[in-house]
């Protein structure tokens, strides 16, 4: 899945992260292979191996970009509360890709 020009921003809540922050290039690559989850508050959500990703907030006087140019925010466990991470886990729980069992 390709998302064109995507801006990744991670907001820092903790002053000292528990784990090193992934690089922007690593997160861009992770986002390109992430799978779609249920929307949260009307915003698209994806789950990658490094982080969850959420469509950037769109203000009342703006319009959402098309899927090829959609801006996203990275949601990293070390930067968010347990409750926030549970919300993302729940949104992605039923949407997780399954392995094929065909032999």
């Amino acid at each position: 899945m390709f998302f064109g020009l995507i801006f990744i921003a991670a907001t820092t809540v903790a002053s000292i992260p528990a784990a090193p922050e992934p690089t922007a290039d690593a997160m861009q690559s992770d986002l390109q292979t992430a799978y779609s989850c249920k929307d949260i508050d009307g915003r698209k959500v994806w789950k990658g191996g490094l982080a969850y990703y959420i469509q950037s907030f769109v203000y009342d006087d703006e319009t959402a970009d098309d899927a090829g140019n959609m801006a996203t925010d990275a949601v990293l466990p070390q930067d968010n509360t347990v409750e926030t991470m549970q919300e993302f886990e729940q949104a992605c729980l039923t949407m997780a890709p399954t392995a094929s069992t065909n032999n």
Side-chain angles (χ1 to χ4, degrees):
M1 141 181 358
F2 179 74
F3 291 97
L5 299 175
I6 298 176
F7 301 98
I8 299 174
T11 56
T12 303
V13 175
S15 59
I16 301 174
E21 297 276 335
T23 65
D25 287 341
M27 290 196 313
Q28 178 68 38
S29 179
D30 186 46
L31 177 58
Q32 290 177 352
T33 60
Y35 65 86
S36 294
C37 301
K38 290 183 181 179
D39 291 0
I40 295 178
D41 296 331
R43 297 162 64 192
K44 296 182 185 310
V45 174
W46 300 269
K47 182 176 194 247
L50 299 175
Y52 291 93
Y53 302 90
I54 189 165
Q55 178 183 9
S56 294
F57 186 75
V58 177
Y59 295 94
D60 291 335
D61 59 342
E62 297 178 346
T63 59
D65 292 335
D66 61 60
N69 262 342
M70 186 181 304
T72 63
D73 298 308
V75 181
L76 299 166
Q78 62 266 30
D79 294 342
N80 291 280
T81 65
V82 171
E83 293 81 14
T84 297
M85 297 314 300
Q86 287 174 342
E87 185 175 7
F88 279 87
E89 290 168 6
Q90 191 64 34
C92 295
L93 184 64
T94 60
M95 304 293 285
T98 56
S100 174
T101 57
N102 296 338
N103 290 329

